[in-house]
């Protein structure tokens, strides 16, 4: 067997085994050394290949697709700094537990550390940000090596999903010639029933042992003022189970927008979504001190909630993790529970049939939540004169999106102010809308690419993003143009970093604009024209809703710009919060 045939069969067996394990999508950034992988993926009939030229954008595209589909996505790039451009997305994937299979092509061993072009150190180049690393042997065509190729493919795929999902790197040293020969017979190799391929898996659900359930209920004891809290998590089936637990125990359920609990057909009667607004007040936080907290998912977005639990460091806190990890930046004493969240909810319901809780406790939370929602969803103070509608604010933009976003779609949101406005203004809805954000490392880079990747799942995506984050990732628009993906981008343009207007740095008038405000003064409509977007500007909330509805009829890329003022936006938010806290505290008299 000559080298070309060995290369072809070795690579084809690897790719085919990924397909056997469930791989359906690969994102390829063109290059020479990755030719065997790129061509073989493209040749396989069961793989959908996406060509994203820039590796940084490609990695975030893969992240968005994997996050939306909740299944592993492969990445392929050539050797050298191409692989280094994956780094930010791999960090995000690690912390947000998104399964990525990173396949980096490399120079063969004899061309390393001798000054060969595009040869950098790629061995474990992502350090501890990947769950597993493996350097493949150079291609050989023997039966033993073809089985090895399949086994490593199966292992790599498995590692992306085992335990906490996350990224895996497999490094491929390829010698020239690099072009496979697809005219060879049976290039995909023999199948499992002929004993040539690798690894099969069976996985169960992690249950909490009966004695642990009793221990947990004993620790809670007769406490009647409990809280359930749901932070960011991806399992859309979890919402019904946790809402049933809240109903069974008759206690409040605080739901982060990324918890997938605020949206869907399940009963959301006891879901509290306006807590960020009223927990800003220390007196209200003291009044709402709970007896215990059970949290599912990552730490919620709300900083007010973080203040709340820090001030209640002495109360029992239980954090449920499906597999492993310690996610609690509060520093409080915490009991970690490692079990399947849905099953744990069901077990607690089953084992605590006679549990009695304080009805007034739930009623107080629901009353405050209703007050918050009335003010957050109210627009009367935005009217300037009779019959005239005021300039749309950033919070009102989220309200508009929530009102008209179609069922069975996704909302992808940027970090900084975007996700916080979604937290405040995107209330519960029966619509089946998944809400996604890159909250692993909380960066503002790669957000457009991630949202476009989510749209590659076939489901329409609405992206809410600020101007600085948009600027960071404008080349992510290329894939949307290239593949005519269904995405609507609501670009909130306040000419800078709006979130800094809420922070103490805003008081430094001398350096604030240069170091924190960072205005870019860019005409973004030209970027829209460059990438063939349907571009418009919405000046009022009603105009935004009209333009959103029109964009949802467009099969491709639409960008709607909402222009706001950072200082006015901060004042508008603070006025809302003040009204909410004032009305709540007036009710105490």
């Amino acid at each position: 067997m000559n080298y070309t045939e060995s290369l072809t069969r070795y690579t084809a067996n690897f790719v085919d085994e990924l397909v056997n394990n469930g791989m359906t999508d690969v994102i390829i950034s063109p290059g020479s050394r990755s030719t065997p992988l790129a061509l073989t993926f493209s040749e396989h009939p069961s793989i959908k290949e996406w060509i994203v030229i820039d590796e940084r954008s490609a990695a975030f595209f893969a992240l968005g697709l994997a996050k939306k589909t909740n299944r592993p996505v492969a990445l392929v790039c050539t050797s050298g700094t191409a692989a280094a451009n994956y780094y930010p997305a791999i960090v995000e994937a690690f912390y947000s537990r998104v399964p990525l299979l990173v396949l980096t092509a490399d120079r063969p061993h004899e061309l390393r550390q001798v000054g060969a072009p595009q040869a950098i150190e790629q061995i474990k180049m992502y350090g501890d940000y990947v769950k597993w690393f493996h350097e493949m042997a150079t291609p050989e065509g023997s039966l033993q090596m073809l089985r090895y190729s399949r086994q490593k493919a199966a292992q790599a795929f498995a590692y992306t999903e085992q335990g906490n999902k996350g990224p895996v790197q497999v490094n491929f040293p390829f010698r020239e010639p690099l072009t496979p020969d697809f005219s060879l017979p049976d290039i995909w190799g023999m199948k499992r029933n002929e004993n040539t391929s690798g690894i099969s898996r069976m996985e169960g659900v992690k249950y909490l042992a009966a004695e642990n359930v009793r221990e947990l209920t004993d620790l809670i004891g007769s406490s009647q003022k409990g809280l359930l809290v749901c932070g960011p998590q991806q399992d859309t089936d979890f919402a019904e189970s946790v809402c049933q637990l809240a109903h069974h125990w008759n206690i409040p359920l605080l739901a982060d927008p990324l918890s997938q609990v605020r949206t869907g057909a399940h009963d959301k009667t006891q879901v509290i979504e306006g807590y960020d607004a009223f927990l800003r007040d220390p007196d209200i936080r003291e009044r709402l001190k709970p007896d215990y907290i059970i949290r599912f998912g990552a730490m919620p977005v709300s900083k007010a909630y973080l203040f709340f639990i820090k001030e209640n460091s002495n109360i029992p806190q239980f954090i449920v993790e499906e597999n492993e990890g310690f996610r609690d930046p509060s520093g409080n004493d915490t009991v970690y529970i490692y079990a399947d969240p849905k099953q744990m909810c069901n077990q607690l319901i089953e084992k605590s049939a006679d549990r009695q809780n304080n009805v007034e406790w739930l009623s107080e939370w629901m009353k405050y939540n209703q007050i918050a929602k009335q003010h957050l969803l109210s627009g009367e103070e935005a009217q300037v004169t009779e019959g005239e509608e005021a300039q749309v604010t950033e919070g009102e933009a989220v309200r508009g999106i929530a009102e008209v976003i179609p069922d069975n779609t996704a909302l992808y949101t940027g970090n900084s102010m975007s996700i916080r406005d979604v937290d405040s203004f995107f209330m519960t809805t029966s619509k089946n809308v998944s809400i996604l954000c890159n909250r692993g490392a909380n960066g503002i880079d790669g957000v457009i690419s991630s949202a476009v990747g989510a749209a590659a799942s076939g489901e329409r995506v609405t992206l809410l993003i600020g101007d600085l984050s948009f600027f960071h990732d404008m080349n992510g628009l290329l894939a949307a143009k290239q593949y005519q993906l269904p995405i609507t981008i609501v670009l909130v343009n306040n000419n800078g970093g709006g979130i800094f207007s809420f922070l103490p740095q805003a008081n430094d008038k001398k350096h604030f604009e240069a170091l924190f405000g960072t205005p870019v003064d860019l005409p973004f409509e030209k970027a829209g024209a460059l990438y063939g977007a349907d571009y418009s500007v919405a000046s009022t909330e009603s105009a935004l809703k009209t333009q959103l509805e029109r964009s949802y009829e467009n099969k491709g890329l639409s960008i709607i710009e909402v222009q706001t003022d950072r200082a006015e936006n901060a004042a508008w938010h603070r006025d809302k919060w003040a009204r909410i806290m004032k009305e709540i505290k007036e009710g105490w008299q």
Side-chain angles (χ1 to χ4, degrees):
M1 186 181 298
N2 63 31
Y3 177 74
T4 296
E5 182 174 356
S6 295
L7 172 72
T8 303
R9 296 193 182 280
Y10 181 89
T11 309
N13 272 267
F14 186 94
V15 169
D16 189 63
E17 186 62 23
L18 291 180
V19 172
N20 288 344
N21 279 266
M23 186 70 73
T24 59
D25 294 87
V26 61
I27 288 76
I28 301 171
S29 295
S32 177
R33 191 60 53 167
S34 54
T35 295
L37 287 168
L39 288 178
T40 306
F41 270 114
S42 299
E43 189 72 15
H44 200 289
S46 298
I47 286 286
K48 168 62 179 176
E49 75 277 5
W50 304 87
I51 313 302
V52 180
I53 297 171
D54 174 65
E55 287 82 8
R56 182 170 173 270
S57 178
F60 278 106
F61 182 102
L63 178 103
L65 179 55
K67 185 187 284 281
K68 182 66 187 72
T69 60
N70 205 24
R71 63 173 184 260
V73 171
L75 275 162
V76 170
C77 72
T78 191
S79 62
T81 56
N85 280 289
Y86 283 167
Y87 212 115
I90 289 172
V91 171
E92 174 62 32
F94 177 79
Y95 284 116
S96 58
R97 301 179 178 179
V98 175
L100 294 182
L101 180 52
V102 183
L103 307 177
T104 51
D106 203 351
R107 285 333 200 223
H109 302 81
E110 66 270 16
L111 291 182
R112 298 177 186 174
Q113 300 182 7
V114 294
Q118 285 187 273
I120 69 171
E121 182 55 74
Q122 294 181 199
I123 304 301
K124 296 186 177 181
M125 70 180 299
Y126 306 116
D128 292 335
Y129 291 117
V130 292
K131 297 177 60 184
W132 185 66
F133 168 84
H134 182 71
E135 163 131 290
M136 295 292 288
T138 51
E140 295 181 32
S142 67
L143 180 60
Q144 179 182 2
M145 291 303 289
L146 296 184
R147 292 189 65 188
Y148 158 82
S149 181
R150 282 190 176 271
Q151 287 172 345
K152 292 308 174 187
Q155 277 183 271
F157 188 96
Y159 273 118
T160 66
E161 294 191 305
Q162 285 180 351
N164 293 335
K165 296 181 180 183
V168 162
Q169 182 196 2
V170 179
N171 199 55
F172 282 83
F174 288 127
R175 294 190 177 96
E176 296 179 343
L178 298 167
T179 305
D181 181 2
F182 298 121
S183 68
L184 294 168
D186 191 28
I187 61 168
W188 305 117
M190 291 179 280
K191 305 302 179 186
R192 282 193 173 89
N193 59 4
E194 294 172 296
N195 198 32
T196 61
S197 68
I199 298 168
S200 297
R201 290 183 289 146
M202 294 183 183
E203 295 186 33
V205 174
K206 188 178 292 185
Y207 284 81
L208 198 61
E211 58 268 27
N212 293 132
V213 176
R214 285 194 299 271
E215 182 183 358
L216 174 59
T217 54
D218 287 346
L219 286 170
I220 294 173
S222 60
S223 301
Q224 296 188 356
K225 295 182 178 181
L227 275 183
L228 296 178
V229 178
C230 293
Q233 64 92 42
Q234 295 294 112
D235 185 357
T236 55
D237 295 330
F238 169 63
E240 185 170 359
S241 297
V242 74
C243 286
Q244 286 176 351
L245 177 60
H247 177 75
H248 188 76
W249 282 6
N250 206 36
I251 60 176
L253 170 56
L254 278 57
D256 184 271
L258 303 175
S259 66
Q260 317 310 321
V261 173
R262 294 192 189 182
T263 62
H266 53 278
D267 182 3
K268 295 178 282 292
T269 304
Q270 288 164 227
V271 170
I272 308 296
E273 67 268 62
Y275 59 90
D276 177 74
F278 56 80
L279 289 181
R280 292 173 179 273
D281 185 278
D283 296 331
I284 297 175
R285 293 199 297 268
E286 177 61 29
R287 189 179 179 97
L288 292 176
K289 182 175 181 179
D291 294 332
Y292 65 90
I293 296 173
I294 301 177
R295 195 190 88 209
F296 301 87
M299 176 61 73
V301 168
S302 169
K303 184 171 287 188
Y305 173 76
L306 180 60
F307 293 154
F308 179 61
I309 59 171
K310 282 185 173 181
E311 290 172 358
N312 293 302
S313 60
N314 60 324
I315 68 166
Q317 179 181 221
F318 307 90
I319 295 179
V320 182
E321 291 278 8
E322 186 171 4
N323 296 294
E324 58 189 352
F326 302 93
R327 297 187 292 185
D328 181 29
S330 72
N332 292 359
D333 289 340
T334 299
V335 176
Y336 283 89
I337 301 171
Y338 297 101
D340 178 84
K342 295 190 293 290
Q343 295 300 329
M344 181 181 153
C345 289
N346 296 336
Q347 287 178 285
L348 290 175
I349 291 172
E350 181 182 344
K351 299 297 182 182
S352 56
D354 58 348
R355 183 168 188 80
Q356 298 295 320
N357 282 294
N358 190 322
V359 175
E360 293 180 358
W361 168 250
L362 173 62
S363 297
E364 188 165 18
W365 276 92
M366 292 181 70
K367 178 182 177 180
Y368 295 173
N369 191 54
Q370 190 58 37
I371 291 171
K373 289 172 67 172
Q374 286 173 350
H375 284 281
L376 294 170
L377 298 179
S378 163
E380 69 274 1
E381 68 270 26
Q383 303 298 320
V384 284
T385 59
E386 185 176 354
E388 182 180 351
E389 189 176 357
Q391 176 75 26
V392 62
T393 66
E394 296 177 18
E396 289 167 343
V398 175
R399 278 184 352 202
I401 292 171
E403 185 174 332
V404 303
I405 191 170
D407 199 7
N408 298 313
T409 65
L411 171 63
Y412 219 109
T413 175
N415 277 304
S416 297
M417 277 309 299
S418 294
I419 184 56
R420 287 168 174 81
D421 277 331
V422 170
D423 190 12
S424 295
F425 296 95
F426 198 105
M427 304 302 178
T428 54
T429 175
S430 60
K431 294 177 184 177
N432 182 24
V433 176
S434 55
I435 305 179
L436 308 173
C437 183
N438 295 348
R439 289 299 290 178
N442 298 359
I444 67 168
D445 50 344
V447 175
I448 292 176
S449 297
S450 296
V452 172
S457 69
E459 190 171 286
R460 174 169 283 280
V461 170
T462 302
L463 169 62
L464 176 69
I465 190 171
D467 56 292
L468 279 185
S469 190
F470 188 95
F471 163 73
H472 267 272
D473 195 31
M474 283 191 292
N475 60 352
L477 297 169
L478 181 60
K481 174 181 182 292
Q482 184 176 352
Y483 292 104
Q484 283 295 290
L485 294 174
I487 182 167
T488 297
I489 299 177
V490 178
L491 166 59
V492 176
N493 184 2
N494 54 30
N495 200 24
I499 195 169
F500 288 104
S501 297
F502 293 84
L503 301 178
Q505 292 92 319
N507 297 320
D508 186 343
K509 304 302 181 185
K510 180 178 180 181
H511 300 291
F512 178 75
E513 280 299 291
L515 294 178
F516 305 105
T518 57
V520 292
D521 297 306
L522 291 175
F524 288 108
E525 69 275 8
K526 295 185 178 179
L530 181 65
Y531 292 103
D534 180 6
Y535 199 95
S536 59
V537 177
S539 58
T540 65
E541 186 176 354
S542 59
L544 172 63
K545 290 187 284 191
T546 298
Q547 291 171 30
L548 280 167
E549 289 172 337
R550 187 185 70 186
S551 77
Y552 295 142
E553 298 175 358
N554 180 18
K555 294 182 179 179
L557 171 64
S558 298
I559 302 175
I560 304 170
E561 183 178 344
V562 174
Q563 298 174 351
T564 66
D565 179 272
R566 279 183 268 130
E568 292 176 2
N569 177 61
W572 183 84
H573 280 75
R574 290 189 175 109
D575 180 67
K576 287 280 188 185
W577 299 329
R579 288 168 181 257
I580 291 166
M581 292 180 284
K582 181 175 182 289
E583 182 173 344
I584 288 174
K585 295 170 85 169
E586 283 175 347
W588 298 349
Q589 299 171 2

